[in-house]
Amino acid sequence: MASSKRKTELASFLRSRRERLTPDRVGLQSSGRRRTPGLRREEVAELAGIGTTWYTWLEQGRNVQASSATLEQLVHALQLNPEERRHLYRLARNEEPVEPQALIIPQEHVPDELRIILESLSPQPSYILGKYWDILAWNQVASQVFTDFAKLPQHERNIVYYMFTHDRPRQELVQWNSLARVLVAQYRVTYDYLKSLGDSRIEQLTQTFCAQSKTFRQLWSKHEIKTDHDGEKTFIHRDIGRLQLRHSTLQWHRFPDLRLVVYSADHASETYQKLRTLAARSLNCLHGDS
């Protein structure tokens, strides 16, 4: 199909999908009667986290190029099904989209010596991240404080994916909004570095995050950067109440792609005693006790 014909069909396709949606369906407040059905162009642009002018040009069939990340944002904003998503990619880029389940998850290795260190840190919940922010290993108390990572599908075992797509962080993390913003700014540093090396997986991961979370897309569009990975977090744990934890990130010279994240509390604090309770519970679970 010729490029000009594809752009014309793309414009028609986008308009048809915009017109079938209503503000209520996408979580927007309706502002009175509308002369035409569906969403306005500026509303689609807002939902997708892109510029209104740029989206208007796309709908007018102008000669503009859409990246895969932008298309994923439109997929989410227009609530396209898998076949519609594929059709969008064929029209906009003359290619098939990368399916999330087809992404290659690299087998990053955590040496036994690091796993021993990880377990020795109990009752301080700790985990090891790979270079793509995948959660590669964790101690038992981390499963009690955060979630049972072993029960998550492997492609969801990623701290960014978990933060933005699971309910538990939103429910239990005090000041989730500000912490989410910091996390995206930290992830941006990794993205920029790996992208400069020609790493394709980091681009695919980011497209997945954008497609799965409107909040991530909005924060991603701000292009904020933060290099510091230490700080404090307060949890309202569903079973044991308030936990006030400091978190520190450590790296090894021998394993530069791995990061150990340790959550700690003063030994005299109430939080530390609660961590000991959770650690004991995890041991009971490990040995099959009720």
Side-chain angles (χ1 to χ4, degrees):
M1 187 187 300
S3 176
S4 60
K5 185 177 180 180
R6 283 194 290 106
K7 291 185 184 301
T8 300
E9 290 197 16
L10 172 62
S12 178
F13 177 70
L14 289 172
R15 283 195 299 272
S16 70
R17 293 313 182 263
R18 172 172 61 83
E19 290 171 355
R20 75 179 180 179
L21 296 175
T22 63
D24 290 343
R25 182 171 170 179
V26 298
L28 295 176
Q29 288 187 345
S30 180
S31 55
R33 296 185 61 183
R34 296 176 177 237
R35 290 176 296 177
T36 57
L39 299 179
R40 300 185 176 100
R41 286 171 174 168
E42 58 266 28
E43 290 171 332
V44 173
E46 178 187 352
L47 289 168
I50 60 179
T52 300
T53 300
W54 190 91
Y55 176 75
T56 299
W57 288 348
L58 201 62
E59 261 204 22
Q60 291 174 341
R62 296 200 190 187
N63 189 28
V64 293
Q65 299 296 319
S67 67
S68 297
T70 298
L71 292 184
E72 288 300 332
Q73 292 165 220
L74 286 173
V75 167
H76 183 86
L78 295 170
Q79 301 186 4
L80 304 186
N81 63 35
E83 185 53 46
E84 290 170 331
R85 175 175 177 259
R86 287 190 288 271
H87 188 59
L88 175 66
Y89 268 80
R90 291 168 191 149
L91 293 176
R93 294 178 62 84
N94 197 25
E95 65 184 31
E96 296 293 320
V98 175
E99 302 300 332
Q101 61 268 28
L103 296 180
I104 298 174
I105 301 176
Q107 298 300 311
E108 295 182 86
H109 177 63
V110 178
D112 289 342
E113 62 190 278
L114 301 189
R115 293 182 182 274
I116 292 172
I117 292 173
L118 192 60
E119 286 301 331
S120 72
L121 290 169
S122 184
Q124 299 174 124
S126 309
Y127 49 77
I128 292 176
L129 298 178
K131 68 177 179 178
Y132 300 101
W133 296 67
D134 294 315
I135 306 162
L136 304 178
W138 54 91
N139 59 16
Q140 290 298 317
V141 70
S143 294
Q144 294 288 334
V145 171
F146 308 117
T147 192
D148 190 346
F149 297 118
K151 292 183 178 180
L152 298 180
Q154 188 178 1
H155 73 277
E156 293 186 15
R157 227 172 281 164
N158 178 286
I159 203 67
V160 181
Y161 189 97
Y162 173 70
M163 183 75 163
F164 285 93
T165 65
H166 285 254
D167 291 334
R168 188 164 175 177
R170 290 179 183 267
Q171 294 168 353
E172 297 191 3
L173 260 177
V174 176
Q175 296 183 325
W176 182 91
N177 289 327
S178 60
L179 292 171
R181 181 174 180 174
V182 167
L183 180 62
V184 174
Q186 292 168 337
Y187 173 76
R188 170 74 68 174
V189 177
T190 299
Y191 173 87
D192 288 345
Y193 173 68
L194 293 179
K195 189 75 182 295
S196 72
L197 298 179
D199 192 307
S200 61
R201 191 196 179 221
I202 196 67
E203 179 68 32
Q204 294 172 353
L205 267 181
T206 307
Q207 291 174 19
T208 299
F209 299 155
C210 286
Q212 293 293 325
S213 171
K214 175 184 175 182
T215 305
F216 180 90
R217 290 199 310 276
Q218 292 173 336
L219 293 172
W220 188 247
S221 68
K222 295 180 183 295
H223 291 267
E224 294 179 335
I225 292 176
K226 183 175 175 60
T227 56
D228 183 18
H229 286 252
D230 298 341
E232 294 189 0
K233 292 178 182 176
T234 301
F235 297 80
I236 307 299
H237 191 274
R238 59 182 61 180
D239 295 329
I240 209 161
R242 191 180 188 88
L243 298 172
Q244 187 76 39
L245 296 167
R246 294 187 301 270
H247 58 91
S248 302
T249 301
L250 309 172
Q251 288 183 275
W252 294 274
H253 176 71
R254 290 174 54 204
F255 312 106
D257 288 338
L258 303 182
R259 287 173 287 154
L260 171 65
V261 183
V262 182
Y263 287 78
S264 60
D266 293 335
H267 286 201
S269 68
E270 182 180 357
T271 290
Y272 187 79
Q273 298 309 313
K274 290 179 178 179
L275 291 178
R276 292 186 62 183
T277 299
L278 290 174
R281 180 187 300 177
S282 66
L283 284 176
N284 289 337
C285 292
L286 191 63
H287 294 298
D289 297 334
S290 57

